[in-house]
Amino acid sequence: MEKMQSLEEFYRSKFDRIPENIRNGVGHFNVFTIDEYIGENAKPVVYSRKDYFKITLIIGRNRIHYADKVIDIQKQGLFFTNPQIPYKFEWIDDYKSGIFCVFTPAFFPSFRKSERL
């Protein structure tokens, strides 16, 4: 069984710090630009499950390894992930851009397991 990346591990790997309010009662939501995490010093993205949700608007040619599928993106795509399915982005060309947000189920108070994304 693969290891699931926690929200805290995500922040440690990207920022070397964890926000103070990450697990408070109102849930967690944050938005980032992909441009900040690509380039020569970027850390590789590991194919894994995360314990948080993520919505990504990705621009540029890339490949998404999602569960048992491979999805090729030619120009841009909107990608939704959840804690049940492992995934990984693979950049195909030099142009890379986009935005993504991460959030916990607690961010949506009426969120129920049967309504998962």
Side-chain angles (χ1 to χ4, degrees), residues 7 21-29 103-108:
L7 194 54
N21 64 351
I22 195 166
R23 295 289 179 183
N24 65 11
V26 297
H28 182 78
F29 184 92
F103 57 97
T104 61
F107 181 71
F108 296 102

Side-chain angles (χ1 to χ4, degrees), residues 10 20 39-40 55 58-61 63-65 71 75 93-94 99-100 102 104-105 108 112-113 117:
F10 164 78
E20 290 180 24
E40 293 178 13
I55 300 172
I58 195 161
I59 301 168
R61 286 187 57 229
R63 185 169 290 130
I64 302 169
H65 301 265
I71 302 164
K75 293 181 181 179
D93 63 17
D94 290 335
I99 59 173
F100 67 95
V102 295
T104 61
F108 296 102
R112 293 190 310 259
K113 288 185 180 190
L117 300 174

Side-chain angles (χ1 to χ4, degrees), residues 61-92:
R61 286 187 57 229
N62 56 80
R63 185 169 290 130
I64 302 169
H65 301 265
Y66 186 72
D68 61 350
K69 296 179 173 91
V70 176
I71 302 164
D72 286 322
I73 305 295
Q74 298 302 316
K75 293 181 181 179
Q76 65 269 336
L78 186 61
F79 191 66
F80 297 81
T81 61
N82 66 57
Q84 285 73 44
I85 301 174
Y87 69 93
K88 171 185 163 180
F89 287 96
E90 177 185 352
W91 301 101
I92 303 298

Side-chain angles (χ1 to χ4, degrees), residues 13-14 16 34-45:
S13 72
K14 302 293 184 195
D16 292 325
I34 289 175
D35 306 54
E36 298 175 52
Y37 307 102
I38 56 179
E40 293 178 13
N41 298 322
K43 296 178 182 175
V45 177

Side-chain angles (χ1 to χ4, degrees), residues 47-60:
Y47 181 75
S48 65
R49 291 174 42 208
K50 285 55 171 174
D51 79 344
Y52 50 89
F53 292 83
K54 186 174 180 181
I55 300 172
T56 304
L57 171 61
I58 195 161
I59 301 168

